[in-house]
Amino acid sequence: MTKKKTVLHIISSARENESYSKGLSLAIVDKLISRQEVDVVIERNLAKELPPFLHGNLIGAFYKDPRSVNEEERRLLEYADAVVNDVSNADILVLGTPMYNLGMSALLKAWIDQLVRVGVTYGFDENGMRKCNLNGKKVYLAIASGGKLEYWPKDYEFIASHVSAAFNAYVGATEVHTFRVEGTAMPGFQADYQKILESL
Ligand SMILES: Cc1cc2nc3c(=O)[nH]c(=O)nc-3n(C[C@H](O)[C@H](O)[C@H](O)COP(=O)(O)O)c2cc1C
């Protein structure tokens, strides 16, 4: 029997069904299902269940030996542990994000801050070289923006470069594929997800 493959679908728009990043990320998930690349979908809508922001006690717990965390630290670690669990169990990640002020959604950034942890998602070998622990996952990134990147100077691209670098450096996902639905705030805009995903 072939092993079932799991996709973890992260939604981070503050909007509900009118969200284009959610529309695009759902279209990616649907395409992966129709091609039988995944069988199980785990969906997390970060606007419905807000990721906590980092704070001192949680960071303290991140750096502690897991055997010596106290009850309060264990409680603080619950969300972060659940995120690590979700990502560990997934073969493919589909991350949807709106562009807000040229960056990713703060919800997605907060979720990444809960995921990335030294000693858990990455560590260092005996020569002090960084090595990742959750290697081999494919990431699809779906970005929605009111304008178009081509209207800005090239160095104004922050979302794909940031997400790719974080997943490369601290998780071990070397394949990050980005798709964009652009111009959503422009008059007469209509989303054509199938066209955007032609190369997928
Ligand atoms: C607070 C806020 C900031 C935004 N900043 C930008 C921006 O910097 N550049 C841009 O092209 N669009 C920007 N937009 C437009 C959104 O990217 C656009 O509405 C997009 O479709 C939102 O994603 P969603 O449809 O998944 O909610 C912004 C929208 C909001 C609400």
Side-chain angles (χ1 to χ4, degrees), residues 121-132:
T121 61
Y122 75 102
F124 296 93
D125 68 16
E126 58 281 7
N127 302 315
M129 299 293 288
R130 192 168 27 77
K131 63 176 185 51
C132 292

Side-chain angles (χ1 to χ4, degrees), residues 44-191:
R44 305 287 181 222
N45 187 333
L46 305 183
K48 290 190 175 159
E49 204 184 330
L50 302 182
F53 283 146
L54 292 177
H55 58 81
N57 292 349
L58 176 60
I59 291 173
F62 275 174
Y63 283 93
K64 246 180 153 177
D65 181 328
R67 288 165 303 189
S68 64
V69 296
N70 61 34
E71 216 28 65
E72 200 223 328
E73 289 163 335
R74 205 180 310 282
R75 196 177 44 73
L76 287 173
L77 285 168
E78 266 173 20
Y79 186 94
D81 287 344
V83 171
V84 170
N85 202 37
D86 274 350
V87 172
S88 304
N89 290 335
D91 301 282
I92 297 178
L93 312 181
V94 176
L95 312 176
T97 183
M99 178 185 286
Y100 291 148
N101 306 316
L102 298 172
M104 75 180 89
S105 158
L107 294 172
L108 182 61
K109 176 61 168 57
W111 180 85
I112 291 172
D113 288 342
Q114 295 287 322
L115 165 67
V116 169
R117 204 188 318 172
V118 69
V120 178
T121 61
Y122 75 102
F124 296 93
D125 68 16
E126 58 281 7
N127 302 315
M129 299 293 288
R130 192 168 27 77
K131 63 176 185 51
C132 292
N133 298 328
L134 301 176
N135 297 298
K137 294 174 198 303
K138 213 183 250 185
V139 179
Y140 293 102
L141 178 62
I143 305 171
S145 58
K148 295 187 178 187
L149 260 192
E150 68 196 51
Y151 300 156
W152 294 105
K154 285 219 170 351
D155 57 0
Y156 277 24
E157 197 298 301
F158 301 109
I159 303 177
S161 51
H162 188 174
V163 171
S164 303
F167 273 86
N168 253 286
Y170 299 129
V171 180
T174 46
E175 257 192 78
V176 181
H177 304 278
T178 300
F179 295 94
R180 296 173 191 277
V181 50
E182 295 188 289
T184 66
M186 295 167 73
F189 171 79
Q190 299 251 315

Side-chain angles (χ1 to χ4, degrees), residues 9-24:
H9 180 200
I10 301 295
I11 296 162
S12 71
S13 169
R15 305 193 305 156
E16 253 303 302
N17 290 332
E18 63 278 21
S19 160
Y20 293 108
S21 58
K22 180 176 165 187
L24 182 57

